[in-house]
Amino acid sequence: SSLMANTKHPQSAICLQMRTESFREKFLPLNDILYKVAFYILESEADARDAVQELYLKLWSRREVLNDVSNPKAYCITLLKNSCIDTIRRRSRQTLPEILPERDDGMEQADRILARERLANVLEAVKSLPERQREVLLLKTVEGLDYKEIEKKTGTNGIMLRVLLSKARKTTREYEKDR
């Protein structure tokens, strides 16, 4: 049936193919970065893979409006972060098992929740940074680039790069203390 629809309306098939190609070019290369973000938040390989897969399904279902997205990476990271936080909230609301875990396990869960809340604060702090500071901080911490690679990518000299990173880190630490 869908094959016949394509033969009756060849332009719609071409349009879909162009959207598919655009989706592949803009969003699929972000997979590794998105996985790192999800893993950092969820602390589980399986959960991180699931979160990224769910994100791609959500993106694909919204593909008609994705052409309006000016920064696919930031858009994806924001959606993924929100999805991961929702997952954590759902987990914390689940009913307790019939056999309660030992006290140590409960403390570990509390520590994980605090760590995730801290991450949410850090992400907010990063959002509040001036653009150049945010850019170099994300290139260094999320993408794992070394100083030379960041210099090439941004055109910022080594000394200024270190100053921007230092200011960004200081601001995020201060932001976190205020929370």
Side-chain angles (χ1 to χ4, degrees), residues 6 11-21 60 63-64:
N6 288 342
Q11 285 185 334
S12 67
I14 291 169
C15 186
L16 178 61
Q17 185 177 4
M18 287 171 60
R19 274 189 260 133
T20 302
E21 199 58 38
W60 183 250
R63 65 189 173 276
E64 288 80 20

Side-chain angles (χ1 to χ4, degrees), residues 127-144:
K127 278 187 196 176
S128 74
L129 291 173
E131 186 177 342
R132 289 183 67 206
Q133 288 180 25
R134 182 175 55 246
E135 179 185 22
V136 296
L137 183 66
L138 292 174
L139 289 171
K140 182 73 175 150
T141 58
V142 175
E143 294 190 26

Side-chain angles (χ1 to χ4, degrees), residues 76-171:
C76 288
I77 289 174
T78 300
L79 286 177
L80 182 64
K81 177 192 75 157
N82 291 337
S83 173
C84 290
I85 290 171
D86 288 345
T87 298
I88 293 166
R89 286 183 182 142
R90 272 193 305 275
R91 278 188 207 154
S92 67
R93 281 189 228 129
Q94 289 175 346
T95 58
L96 293 174
E98 289 181 24
I99 300 171
L100 293 174
E102 293 180 24
R103 187 172 181 189
D104 290 343
D105 291 339
M107 289 303 292
E108 289 175 18
Q109 178 67 20
D111 289 342
R112 284 193 294 271
I113 290 169
L114 288 173
R116 289 181 184 117
E117 288 174 358
R118 180 176 172 252
L119 174 63
N121 287 337
V122 169
L123 290 172
E124 286 299 316
V126 170
K127 278 187 196 176
S128 74
L129 291 173
E131 186 177 342
R132 289 183 67 206
Q133 288 180 25
R134 182 175 55 246
E135 179 185 22
V136 296
L137 183 66
L138 292 174
L139 289 171
K140 182 73 175 150
T141 58
V142 175
E143 294 190 26
L145 300 181
D146 63 29
Y147 289 108
K148 291 287 183 197
E149 292 169 316
I150 297 171
E151 284 180 47
K152 286 179 190 171
K153 196 164 193 161
T154 63
T156 305
N157 73 40
I159 294 170
M160 179 54 81
L161 182 63
R162 284 172 173 77
V163 168
L164 288 170
L165 275 169
S166 176
K167 285 182 177 182
R169 289 174 176 148
K170 181 180 179 189
T171 302

Side-chain angles (χ1 to χ4, degrees), residues 5-71:
N6 288 342
T7 57
K8 288 181 183 176
H9 304 288
Q11 285 185 334
S12 67
I14 291 169
C15 186
L16 178 61
Q17 185 177 4
M18 287 171 60
R19 274 189 260 133
T20 302
E21 199 58 38
S22 177
F23 183 85
R24 282 186 186 139
E25 290 172 6
K26 290 181 179 178
F27 294 95
L28 292 186
L30 302 173
N31 187 57
D32 289 343
I33 291 168
L34 295 173
Y35 172 79
K36 287 177 186 178
V37 170
F39 181 78
Y40 188 74
I41 296 170
L42 298 172
E43 299 175 338
S44 160
E45 288 182 23
D47 289 345
R49 282 193 303 270
D50 289 347
V52 172
Q53 184 176 8
E54 287 174 22
L55 173 69
Y56 276 117
L57 289 171
K58 182 183 277 188
L59 290 170
W60 183 250
S61 70
R62 297 179 181 177
R63 65 189 173 276
E64 288 80 20
V65 297
L66 291 180
N67 286 331
D68 297 335
V69 174
S70 61
N71 187 339

